[in-house]
Amino acid sequence: FDPKKVKVIFVLGGPGAGKGTQCERLVADYGFKHLSAGDLLREERNRPGSTYGELITEYIKEGKIVPQEVTIKLLENAMSSTLASPPSNEVWSNGQGRFLIDGFPRKMDQAFKFDASVVKSSFVLFFATTEAILLERLLERGKTSGRDDDNKESIVKRFRTFEETSMPVVDYYRKSGKVVEIDSSPAIDVVYEKVKVEMDQRLG
Ligand code: UP5
Ligand code: MG
């Protein structure tokens, strides 16, 4: 597809930081197409006949990053099918697409590959809060989410991967001035108000 026709915003932050929650609101107010890398991986794992099912299950439980080829392919496919049948809203009808890519890139090789071969992001929304808050949110969600990584053992592994592997990506984009950091400790509405201010400044 033609990268000039789309605007991509990466949404990063630790496990449970509120990426998905804030993206949902942005979809409603700004006409974004929301693509969560984690959701795409979980869908692929559940797809009958998927070659990668077992691999994805194992990586997610261990909080490790699935090899980039798999994730980038899923994102590219999802972007292509969105462009083939775009959401019916004003933004997309004007021929300009907007994507929120949630939970990606979370490893340097993914960042390099996606920037070079798919499309460069306009900026990065980074949700930051403490591990204590993240843990509380994830354990609470784990009571009903059915996600097999919402348990204490997997959560601790996800935290470690985030610090060691994903924070370097945030710092890398920070050096090029692309990171918009938002404290996601307060209530959902309070966080979203801040997100909107940043969006309005950048999207015009
Ligand atoms: N909540 C949210 N905001 C709140 C607030 N301000 N105040 C109070 N509560 C708040 O929120 C989490 C929970 O907190 C919810 O119950 C929510 O109501 C509440 P959510 O919006 O779901 O947070 P999010 O940041 O989306 O958390 P998520 O668990 O989805 O983050 P992860 O990054 O861990 O999960 P993801 O699905 O992105 O990835 C899962 C796994 O997939 C990874 O660990 C990895 O193994 C694999 N993966 C890859 O290998 N490669 C990739 O590129 C991407 C993923
Ligand atoms: Mg999420």
Side-chain angles (χ1 to χ4, degrees):
F1 60 83
D2 184 357
K4 285 193 285 298
K5 286 202 168 149
V6 298
K7 198 187 236 331
V8 165
I9 296 167
F10 291 144
V11 182
L12 300 178
K19 302 183 290 296
T21 304
Q22 297 295 327
C23 282
E24 232 172 82
R25 300 202 168 195
L26 287 168
V27 167
D29 290 343
Y30 296 87
F32 282 103
K33 175 67 183 180
H34 172 214
L35 297 177
S36 154
D39 287 349
L40 290 171
L41 287 165
R42 284 182 285 272
E43 269 167 38
E44 174 63 19
R45 174 191 63 190
N46 297 340
R47 188 175 63 82
S50 166
T51 324
Y52 303 112
E54 274 175 42
L55 175 135
I56 293 171
T57 301
E58 185 58 21
Y59 273 73
I60 287 184
K61 190 163 65 67
E62 292 300 317
K64 293 190 301 188
I65 311 302
V66 172
Q68 48 134 335
E69 293 76 13
V70 177
T71 313
I72 291 179
K73 193 80 226 154
L74 292 173
L75 281 168
E76 273 185 310
N77 289 346
M79 291 175 83
S80 298
S81 41
T82 305
L83 288 161
S85 51
S88 50
N89 64 43
E90 211 181 310
V91 175
W92 287 83
S93 305
N94 290 336
Q96 193 67 40
R98 287 177 180 169
F99 288 98
L100 291 171
I101 309 273
D102 158 4
F104 176 96
R106 55 214 290 162
K107 193 171 175 181
M108 283 309 296
D109 67 341
Q110 293 180 330
F112 289 140
K113 186 75 205 289
F114 194 87
D115 286 355
S117 70
V118 186
V119 55
K120 284 196 175 44
S121 66
S122 304
F123 59 95
V124 177
L125 266 185
F126 171 52
F127 292 109
T129 183
T130 64
E131 278 191 8
I133 289 178
L134 297 176
L135 178 66
E136 192 186 312
R137 287 182 188 168
L138 291 174
L139 288 176
E140 183 58 34
R141 188 182 67 184
K143 292 175 187 167
T144 54
S145 68
R147 268 178 61 164
D148 44 18
D149 59 349
D150 278 348
N151 57 77
K152 186 79 197 276
E153 205 187 328
S154 294
I155 292 168
V156 168
K157 291 177 178 169
R158 289 157 72 193
F159 285 170
R160 205 174 308 140
T161 301
F162 177 69
E163 278 308 320
E164 290 170 2
T165 311
S166 306
M167 269 315 285
V169 176
V170 176
D171 292 334
Y172 166 71
Y173 287 125
R174 219 195 289 271
K175 284 197 193 96
S176 47
K178 276 192 170 182
V179 173
V180 178
E181 179 166 337
I182 291 176
D183 178 10
S184 67
S185 319
I188 293 171
D189 291 343
V190 177
V191 176
Y192 188 59
E193 283 308 312
K194 290 187 278 183
V195 171
K196 276 208 300 201
V197 170
E198 298 293 344
M199 279 296 167
D200 291 340
Q201 273 176 25
R202 283 169 180 79
L203 292 176

